[in-house]
Amino acid sequence: MGNKTVWVIGSALMAAVGMVATQAETVKKGPARGAALLAAPAALTPKQQLGQLLFEDTSLSNPPGQACASCHASGAGFTDPDRNAPTSKGVRAGLFGDRNTPAAAYMAFSPRFHFDEAEQHFVGGQFWDGRAATLEDQARGPFLNPVEMANSSAAQVIDKVRAAAYAPLFRQVFGADALADPDKAFAQVAEAIAAFERTPVFSPFSSKYDAYLAGRTRLTPQEQRGLKLFEREDKGNCAACHPVARRPDGRGGLGTDFTYDNLGVPKNPANPFYRLPEAYNPAGRGYVDRGLGGVVGRAADYGKFKVPTVRNVELSAPYMHNGYFASLRAVVDFYNTRDVKPRCADEFVAESEALERGCWPRPEMVANVNTDELGNLRLTPREVDDIVAFMLTLTDGWRGPQHAAGR
């Protein structure tokens, strides 16, 4: 490889670092922790470096301007950094998706999408509804989604990759003729992005809770109470779906069991998808997201969505598949009182108004609501606060004093 080619690749990698720095600056409006999680390119293999460049490249959308990282920002727990929008905007002005961006963090641990015969439910996969079986399948989706990155074909994406400064690196990783066949190259784009997503960049296990499990710090009394409630089967029981206990490898749990559930979340009146033209949403405000059931074609799974990780939950507001909840405390309050508070008269009631009225709107999908594990947790307001305090210890990038007594 000539010196000029080496320089091109090096320049591309430096450009990626610059984009990462810009991204971290963008999310400074959120919590400082976790604001710079991306690894330096030198710590990655060539394929992972290529994956990072593809992940960060805003020229790969149509029109240019949106990358994978636009909706999966490192400083936002690899979710959308825009906390004021319940769902993510597309590359074309005025277009929005119907769902909140799910976290890409720790999703390398999600098993391949499958039906568990023993438990009689679906597990794993990617996206809120499991429609992508693997990380590679997921990585292909946004490029061709007409709302997200809006490319018309794999060939259109690969034309841009051929023109990119990192094209020599692509050929180094996948072969001299790697960009000749657009379909094959598009699969390799996904392969490289997935390789990057499987690095510790996305799964650093660097939260205060991880430090606590390693014996390097202590939890405050409130955080300790919250942890106990989080795991108590007869009270909070959050760990039933969001396990965080120490795993056999010594690290803390992933904060999700990768299953699917209908929590009874209401419609979000602020969801901009309801206002899209008929070509994108013919049902208007009558649209109902069928979730997993819409993918697998089973009415018994209508309204079920993948259990999100609670790792980095501090950074990933708004919450739920439609961004209904703006605050983490409101999420816990909903779990605690969904079946206790009266039903709001209107199905379109925002979170803030519902809290003020002391009611909850009816679920977006009334069928299949989980009434066994949430709805009436019998938590006091202090206990709700304790659980929230514990969940804030799950934010990666913690840099606290060793063996801190707690604050």
Side-chain angles (χ1 to χ4, degrees):
M1 185 181 293
N3 290 335
K4 182 176 180 181
T5 303
V6 172
W7 183 86
V8 170
I9 294 174
S11 296
L13 293 176
M14 291 304 294
V17 174
M19 285 188 283
V20 170
T22 300
Q23 184 186 79
E25 184 68 27
T26 299
V27 298
K28 280 185 178 178
K29 59 186 178 183
R33 287 181 290 172
L37 302 183
L38 288 184
L44 306 177
T45 68
K47 182 186 286 187
Q48 292 163 351
Q49 291 173 2
L50 175 62
Q52 179 174 0
L53 292 167
L54 291 162
F55 189 86
E56 294 283 337
D57 190 351
T58 58
S59 75
L60 298 183
S61 62
N62 179 38
Q66 186 143 299
C68 304
S70 300
C71 295
H72 295 285
S74 63
F78 290 102
T79 61
D80 194 325
D82 187 352
R83 295 191 173 190
N84 297 316
T87 65
S88 295
K89 63 183 178 181
V91 68
R92 295 179 179 173
L95 293 185
F96 291 81
D98 58 336
R99 294 174 182 163
N100 184 21
T101 298
Y106 296 92
M107 287 304 104
F109 293 93
S110 183
R112 188 181 187 91
F113 184 75
H114 68 282
F115 186 76
D116 187 319
E117 293 289 351
E119 297 293 335
Q120 288 293 295
H121 60 211
F122 288 94
V123 184
Q126 305 292 331
F127 292 117
W128 280 106
D129 56 15
R131 68 186 183 274
T134 66
L135 281 179
E136 287 82 0
D137 292 338
Q138 187 280 327
R140 285 190 287 266
F143 287 111
L144 304 182
N145 185 297
V147 172
E148 294 183 57
M149 297 177 77
N151 290 289
S152 60
S153 65
Q156 187 174 33
V157 178
I158 300 308
D159 282 344
K160 298 171 186 177
V161 174
R162 288 194 195 101
Y166 53 80
L169 178 58
F170 197 104
R171 294 186 177 97
Q172 175 191 329
V173 171
F174 291 113
D177 63 346
L179 293 169
D181 182 334
D183 290 332
K184 182 178 178 181
F186 189 52
Q188 291 166 335
V189 165
E191 181 181 336
I193 291 173
F196 176 48
E197 291 179 319
R198 290 191 175 101
T199 67
V201 170
F202 286 77
S203 307
F205 293 95
S206 60
S207 69
K208 180 179 181 180
Y209 177 67
D210 293 298
Y212 161 74
L213 290 180
R216 293 188 285 106
T217 193
R218 302 173 187 170
L219 299 182
T220 68
Q222 184 183 33
E223 292 164 352
Q224 190 69 56
R225 293 194 306 268
L227 171 57
K228 289 180 179 178
L229 288 164
F230 193 90
E231 295 188 317
R232 269 182 62 176
E233 294 183 7
D234 64 338
K235 201 72 183 282
N237 200 28
C238 312
C241 297
H242 300 283
V244 295
R246 191 193 309 272
R247 303 190 308 156
D249 63 5
R251 295 186 294 190
L254 300 169
T256 172
D257 61 2
F258 302 108
T259 60
Y260 294 79
D261 227 335
N262 180 359
L263 306 177
V265 176
K267 284 188 171 185
N268 186 357
N271 189 341
F273 184 75
Y274 294 136
R275 301 188 293 275
L276 290 190
E278 186 175 351
Y280 295 95
N281 176 22
R285 282 164 65 93
Y287 170 77
V288 174
D289 194 334
R290 295 185 177 185
L292 172 67
V295 172
V296 300
R298 297 197 337 167
D301 292 307
Y302 284 167
K304 293 184 180 181
F305 296 91
K306 191 177 180 184
V307 174
T309 179
V310 288
R311 283 184 170 271
N312 295 305
V313 70
E314 177 183 12
L315 307 175
S316 59
Y319 305 105
M320 303 302 176
H321 70 279
N322 59 4
Y324 181 82
F325 296 101
S327 72
L328 187 55
R329 193 188 191 285
V331 173
V332 181
D333 183 60
F334 178 76
Y335 276 50
N336 186 39
T337 64
R338 185 199 64 197
D339 300 339
V340 177
K341 291 181 179 181
R343 184 71 57 83
C344 301
D346 187 356
E347 70 172 334
F348 286 98
V349 179
E351 172 214 76
S352 58
E353 188 177 354
L355 291 171
E356 184 177 342
R357 291 189 197 177
C359 63
W360 291 116
R362 74 176 182 86
E364 178 180 18
M365 175 60 68
V366 176
N368 310 317
V369 172
N370 184 341
T371 57
D372 296 329
E373 296 172 306
L374 70 154
N376 182 10
L377 302 182
R378 299 176 292 106
L379 298 170
T380 66
R382 172 179 149 161
E383 289 173 329
V384 170
D385 290 336
D386 291 346
I387 289 176
V388 172
F390 165 67
M391 286 196 286
L392 299 185
T393 71
L394 295 168
T395 306
D396 284 320
W398 182 76
R399 296 290 182 268
Q402 196 171 35
H403 300 297
R407 296 181 293 276

